[in-house]
Amino acid sequence: MVSAAVALAFVPLLLSLLLRYRHHAALLCRAALAPWLRERLGGAPREQRALRFVLAHAAPGDPRHVLRTLDRWSEAREHLSSVGPRKGRILERLLRERAPLAVLELGTYCGYATVLLAQGLPPGARLYTVEMDPRHAAVAEKVIRLAGFDERTVELIVGRSEEVIPRLREKHGLRKADFVFMDHWKRCYLRDLQLLEAHDLLAEGATVLADNVIFPGAPHFLQYAKTCGKYRCKVHRTSLEYFRAIPDGVAELTYAGPR
């Protein structure tokens, strides 16, 4: 009787937690559990399923239509961890304002942000995008080329960011980046920012954008950016891609040079 009474006492708390975090539970189901179950039952990885959908429905050579098709997939079918349309507008606006000639993306995934960045580049600009997972890179390659961008505009580099960054100048010809977009493993943000500094790959005044700094979060990266004296830092408050009820943010750093 005592144990039953104790269990009943926790019911209101459990109901309250379920109600409060119902959107996070929905994200867990759509982003992790459902894809995992489909793959265990013999289906292709969700990125491959998304690619098949894009190849079947997107207009070749039309970057915006490719992005809208990826949005349709993520909104109605399975969640992809892409920047999405709401945060994408922040990215587009800043890219338009800065007009960078050398752009570096860390975390290509399926190529959503790569296409978004590439379509906003000024004439003569070049985008270098780094993806550690060869399977994701293979999907991204097809998405990027379907959108109409060739190797002269977008160079896709497969490898771990901590190994690629030190070779960017010598092997890939990136002297300094004017614009950096981070959307890979959040725990790598701070390490890779410091690697870019150590290898003198950030132009003075360069913009560094980092996605998902609130959810799932990158607290050490934000603390460093705000306190090291090398950056002006602001956070654009928004929501998680395709889940408006989950708060998120994009950090905007402006590099002032070494201190």
Side-chain angles (χ1 to χ4, degrees), residues 211-227:
D211 194 13
N212 305 122
V213 295
I214 293 177
F215 184 87
H220 299 299
F221 169 83
L222 282 180
Q223 182 181 24
Y224 175 79
K226 292 176 179 177
T227 61

Side-chain angles (χ1 to χ4, degrees), residues 57-68:
H57 296 91
D62 186 339
R64 291 200 175 275
H65 197 262
V66 169
L67 293 175
R68 288 198 300 271

